[in-house]
Amino acid sequence: MGLPEKFISCDWGTSNFRLRLVDSHSLKVLSEIRTDLGIKKCYQLFTAQSERSQESFFADYLLAQLEKLDLEGVENCHLVASGMLSSSIGMQELEYCQFPIAFGGEDLISKRLSVSNKLDLLLVSGARTNSDVMRGEEIQAIGLSDYLPKKDKGVLLLPGTHSKHIHFDAGRFMDFTTYMTGELFEVIGKHTILSASLEESPWSPLNKDIFLKGVQKGVDNQQMASLFSIRANSLIHKTSAKENYYYLSGLLIGAELGHLKKKSETVYLAVTGIQNELYQLALKSFIPEARIVCFEPQIIETALLVGQRKILEAHVK
């Protein structure tokens, strides 16, 4: 049958919803819908009613959003949905695929669902090891695999609320670990005694030294003994809340990255914006620059679409 000219990408996360009509070959986004009705909120709405099944409740929302998407001239379109839609609080739960998984993504568990007489939904599972799970990041990793060495080993870093460090070797993703770096930063900054000593501010090179001081403490596994020093330094040394903000950031990022100090593999960094600059600074403070590869923003931004296209290709051959 071959790859269709266009497909619909569904990126339905815990907090947000995004639907995109995509040109299959160029990956140009032709039309897009975004809402703040994430999986969590949608599931809460489902449990508050009893008329519709879980699958039909989510399908109805999908169909309602599809009507807002510009689908003029598009018939029998394929919709690829990865991430939280296949979770227990999504449309239909799929088992996690067991690591290792191939760069092409053919190991992932998927299921076709008929959403309407004109639309098939390809629901894709998450992935797991014996001690960790993820839903969504595996598709991004599959999309980035075109830029990873097929015969060597390395570590792919996907920083975020729950950062993923995915180890690969000879064309397969072998293992991964989740670090709650982003969530811990938010919790500590808003819900602990340290909140009064922190102030969010735009990044400035003037914060580099204080950030790297935090990174070093984190890399040296001294984060637990260093957290309260933020409060103490505010009181004793009058350290500014803006400096403390980036010290805490360095402390947690350093703690996340510290295990890489003892490894010899190349580290592949896939993140955009200020996090890209901070993670680069942190990595370069204790790893030779030759061992760090940073992906261009455009590559990162299209990674999910590339991954979903690979999954679709495997199902339309």
Side-chain angles (χ1 to χ4, degrees):
M1 182 165 58
L3 189 67
E5 288 187 10
K6 301 170 185 175
F7 73 94
I8 299 170
S9 163
C10 179
D11 180 16
W12 205 340
T14 303
S15 304
N16 294 284
F17 171 88
R18 179 167 60 171
L19 209 58
R20 291 178 284 181
L21 177 65
V22 182
D23 182 285
S24 299
H25 303 287
S26 69
L27 293 180
K28 180 181 178 181
V29 176
L30 306 173
S31 181
E32 181 173 2
I33 295 291
R34 292 173 182 254
T35 78
D36 63 354
L37 191 81
I39 288 288
K40 183 178 179 180
K41 190 185 295 184
C42 193
Y43 182 74
Q44 289 171 342
L45 293 174
F46 158 70
T47 57
Q49 58 86 57
S50 56
E51 293 80 21
R52 288 173 286 172
S53 68
Q54 188 166 339
E55 184 174 321
S56 65
F57 191 89
F58 278 86
D60 286 348
Y61 185 78
L62 264 177
L63 289 171
Q65 299 311 308
L66 281 166
E67 290 181 2
K68 302 174 186 177
L69 206 61
D70 184 5
L71 297 176
E72 186 177 351
V74 179
E75 295 185 3
N76 301 317
C77 198
H78 295 269
L79 192 156
V80 184
S82 52
M84 293 300 292
L85 196 60
S86 65
S87 71
S88 61
I89 61 170
M91 186 172 181
Q92 187 177 124
E93 185 176 14
L94 296 183
E95 289 293 322
Y96 290 99
C97 169
Q98 175 74 49
F99 260 56
I101 60 176
F103 276 6
E106 55 267 28
D107 304 304
L108 293 178
I109 299 166
S110 60
K111 186 175 182 178
R112 282 189 180 277
L113 300 174
S114 181
V115 179
S116 71
N117 58 356
K118 290 185 176 182
L119 183 69
D120 280 339
L121 168 65
L122 184 60
L123 190 63
V124 187
S125 71
R128 72 171 181 89
T129 65
N130 288 330
S131 58
D132 211 337
V133 297
M134 63 178 163
R135 286 193 189 271
E137 294 93 348
E138 71 288 337
I139 303 297
Q140 187 180 8
I142 289 166
L144 291 168
S145 67
D146 290 345
Y147 304 94
L148 301 175
K150 304 299 184 292
K151 296 182 180 180
D152 295 326
K153 61 174 61 177
V155 184
L156 173 62
L157 266 55
L158 303 176
T161 303
H162 297 154
S163 297
K164 307 293 181 184
H165 292 201
I166 308 175
H167 299 264
F168 64 87
D169 187 8
R172 302 177 84 197
F173 294 109
M174 305 302 295
D175 196 6
F176 70 91
T177 302
T178 300
Y179 296 84
M180 292 176 58
T181 310
E183 185 169 357
L184 280 173
F185 186 82
E186 182 175 3
V187 169
I188 292 170
K190 293 182 179 179
H191 304 290
T192 72
I193 194 173
L194 300 182
S195 62
S197 302
L198 301 167
E199 182 184 343
E200 183 177 359
S201 64
W203 169 254
S204 164
L206 296 175
N207 296 315
K208 178 180 177 180
D209 289 344
I210 193 75
F211 172 76
L212 289 177
K213 183 179 179 181
V215 169
Q216 188 60 57
K217 291 289 187 181
V219 169
D220 292 341
N221 197 27
Q222 295 179 22
Q223 63 273 15
M224 291 302 292
S226 301
L227 281 168
F228 196 75
S229 69
I230 294 173
R231 175 71 172 158
N233 285 335
S234 292
L235 298 172
I236 300 170
H237 303 295
K238 308 303 179 186
T239 305
S240 75
K242 294 178 180 179
E243 286 181 304
N244 287 334
Y245 179 85
Y246 283 103
Y247 177 79
L248 175 62
S249 176
L251 195 63
L252 296 179
I253 290 175
E256 174 192 332
L257 301 177
H259 71 102
L260 297 169
K261 187 175 184 178
K262 298 178 181 179
K263 297 186 179 296
S264 58
E265 295 95 339
T266 298
V267 176
Y268 295 81
L269 179 62
V271 69
T272 58
I274 183 56
Q275 282 189 307
N276 179 277
E277 186 165 354
L278 295 180
Y279 272 78
Q280 277 201 59
L281 268 177
L283 287 168
K284 290 175 182 178
S285 71
F286 66 94
I287 290 179
E289 198 164 338
R291 276 183 51 210
I292 304 169
V293 175
C294 300
F295 292 122
E296 293 295 325
Q298 182 60 26
I299 292 174
I300 299 168
E301 288 164 6
T302 59
L304 178 71
L305 298 179
V306 174
Q308 288 181 332
R309 181 177 63 183
K310 284 187 178 185
I311 301 299
L312 182 58
E313 281 178 320
H315 284 80
V316 297
K317 289 181 180 178

